Amino acid sequence: MRALLCLAVLALLVACGPANTIQINQTNRYTVAMSLDGQTVGTRIISITVTDKNGSPAIVDSIIAVPVMHEMGMVSPEMTATALGNGRYEIKGEPFTMLGVWEVALRISAGGKEDTTSFQVEIK
């Protein structure tokens, strides 16, 4: 069931467009999928899907993204995700200020607990 749900999430993210970069990570409590609508500087949409250990859509209190470019010692301002429902969240903004490899660190808060994960993306 869980594998089937992960495949369904992946298929949904792929349907968002051919330029998407999709990654899936595990935290202590969640499976987190992140999709980026492109790999360029400028306004981007970061799509996040969160499921619990049973594969059900997770409702969380907040998701905060922190884009970091370690190579240049740069950190973009924190960005807060908007809940879209059914375990889906979205961030719209300008997370990347220059070309190169960025880490998008996510803090997922729910029930007074926090899970963290991060994704690497290359901005071209």
Side-chain angles (χ1 to χ4, degrees), residues 54-68:
N54 297 320
S56 299
I59 298 171
V60 301
D61 297 331
S62 69
I63 299 176
I64 305 295
V66 182
V68 178

Side-chain angles (χ1 to χ4, degrees), residues 7-19:
L7 287 174
V9 167
L10 187 58
L12 177 64
L13 292 175
V14 169
C16 293

Side-chain angles (χ1 to χ4, degrees), residues 40-56:
T40 59
V41 173
T43 301
R44 299 271 55 90
I45 297 174
I46 301 171
S47 299
I48 303 162
T49 302
V50 183
T51 56
D52 63 21
K53 293 292 182 183
N54 297 320
S56 299

Side-chain angles (χ1 to χ4, degrees), residues 32-121:
V32 183
M34 187 190 85
S35 172
L36 185 61
D37 73 336
Q39 292 178 268
T40 59
V41 173
T43 301
R44 299 271 55 90
I45 297 174
I46 301 171
S47 299
I48 303 162
T49 302
V50 183
T51 56
D52 63 21
K53 293 292 182 183
N54 297 320
S56 299
I59 298 171
V60 301
D61 297 331
S62 69
I63 299 176
I64 305 295
V66 182
V68 178
M69 183 182 223
H70 294 286
E71 184 178 330
M72 299 301 286
M74 297 178 62
V75 179
S76 292
E78 292 184 350
M79 305 174 82
T80 303
T82 301
L84 301 177
N86 222 18
R88 296 178 305 117
Y89 302 84
E90 183 175 88
I91 298 171
K92 291 181 184 178
E94 295 185 29
F96 313 112
T97 56
M98 67 184 312
L99 306 180
V101 177
W102 287 79
E103 175 184 84
V104 179
L106 298 180
R107 292 192 319 261
I108 303 165
S109 300
K113 297 181 182 179
E114 186 173 274
D115 285 56
T116 60
T117 189
S118 63
F119 300 90
Q120 275 200 343
V121 296

